[in-house]
Amino acid sequence: MLTTGITVHVAMETSKGQVEIELAPEVEIPTAWSKKAPWPRCLSRWPSSDRAKCVKSFGFSLLARWHYHWQLSFLQAERVLLEHLDEDGGCRRRCFQALRQMKEDVWCPGRRPVITSHHLQTVLFWTCEKYPHAKDWGAFSKGLLRLARKLHKCVRQRFLKHFFVRSGNLLQHATAAELDAVAQRLALFLQDPGPSCGLLTFCSGSSSVDGCRQVPGSCPGGQRRAVKGVLPTSSTSEA
């Protein structure tokens, strides 16, 4: 256990290795929404207005950081968004899970990755806002590549805007060398995603539509013919 100011870092052993946890004092403010978070944005079509009201009803929190500084936190609001990702259909959650797996296994492995699950979650939220309809998430492979392109753009530009607080850059404390290394791996993946995604979609000899069957991670209505596990690619940037 390591104490730095008011923050406590705890190392825990799990079945997958050592995990480091940061503990900090938190003040919950469940009855109001921060004025520094003007959300939802004007003309935004995701989430629905009813869902947005539900999200804001959970309020926000203040996390104690350093030198008497308090950081805004929207953990409960983000959880609600994640829980209802696919309430209108589509496969946003499956795409996010695959993106996280690729990050952990290929793009940014290690115990202290420069890109965290929260970064990926923010990329997901921004992409859902840009592509708000269920039909935009009908094909698993297209959705995954869309998220990967958005992540690559943010890492390459070293800028990822906080989903609720416009002025916040979630990559501001990351080193340029670390981000450039991740950007390079993402670029290689986007050039030829097939080899890395061979387990996400594949053809099978069993009875199925067009001789192909979906694996966990795909979505209804999103069957795509794949050859030797290769995902279809596109040269169009959607980030």
Side-chain angles (χ1 to χ4, degrees):
M1 182 173 66
L2 175 64
T3 302
T4 56
I6 57 177
T7 303
V8 177
H9 297 266
V10 180
M12 299 181 61
E13 291 292 340
T14 68
S15 59
K16 295 184 179 181
Q18 191 178 79
V19 176
E20 294 186 1
I21 302 175
E22 181 181 290
L23 304 177
E26 177 184 16
V27 177
E28 293 186 357
I29 307 176
T31 58
W33 187 257
S34 173
K35 294 182 179 180
K36 293 185 178 181
W39 183 87
R41 280 160 283 279
C42 182
L43 302 180
S44 174
R45 293 172 292 174
W46 185 90
S48 66
S49 57
D50 289 340
R51 181 59 58 199
K53 291 179 182 178
C54 174
V55 168
K56 295 182 72 171
S57 70
F58 285 85
F60 66 104
S61 300
L62 294 174
L63 291 179
R65 304 307 292 176
W66 55 87
H67 301 301
Y68 303 100
H69 172 72
W70 292 87
Q71 177 179 308
L72 290 171
S73 173
F74 300 87
L75 181 60
Q76 293 297 330
E78 291 166 350
R79 283 178 177 172
V80 175
L81 282 177
L82 284 175
E83 288 174 0
H84 299 277
L85 271 178
D86 296 321
E87 61 183 344
D88 62 346
C91 55
R92 301 173 183 87
R93 183 181 303 278
R94 298 296 189 183
C95 293
F96 174 65
Q97 291 172 340
L99 186 78
R100 186 171 57 188
Q101 179 182 343
M102 291 297 298
K103 190 276 294 184
E104 294 174 352
D105 296 344
V106 181
W107 303 329
C108 193
R111 289 187 297 177
R112 290 187 176 182
V114 64
I115 300 299
T116 66
S117 293
H118 187 256
H119 291 130
L120 300 186
Q121 176 181 285
T122 304
V123 166
L124 171 68
F125 290 161
W126 280 116
T127 309
C128 287
E129 184 176 279
K130 185 174 182 179
Y131 298 93
H133 304 297
K135 64 180 181 180
D136 298 323
W137 300 90
F140 168 73
S141 57
K142 186 176 181 179
L144 174 59
L145 291 176
R146 180 181 291 143
L147 290 176
R149 292 190 188 100
K150 175 64 175 178
L151 177 61
H152 177 248
K153 179 180 179 180
C154 293
V155 172
R156 179 169 50 84
Q157 296 179 346
R158 304 169 189 170
F159 185 81
L160 175 57
K161 188 184 299 183
H162 193 286
F163 187 64
F164 294 118
V165 184
R166 298 179 183 179
S167 60
N169 176 17
L170 298 181
L171 297 177
Q172 62 180 337
H173 298 301
T175 66
E178 289 178 313
L179 292 178
D180 289 345
V182 176
Q184 185 176 11
R185 297 188 191 106
L186 278 163
L188 291 174
F189 165 78
L190 291 172
Q191 289 175 8
D192 185 13
S196 298
C197 295
L199 297 178
L200 298 179
T201 177
F202 59 95
C203 286
S204 170
S206 61
S207 58
S208 55
V209 179
D210 294 332
C212 291
R213 67 184 177 90
Q214 291 177 290
V215 297
S218 56
C219 54
Q223 289 93 340
R224 300 288 295 275
R225 178 174 291 277
V227 179
K228 295 182 181 179
V230 177
L231 282 170
T233 59
S234 172
S235 59
T236 303
S237 175
E238 296 179 298

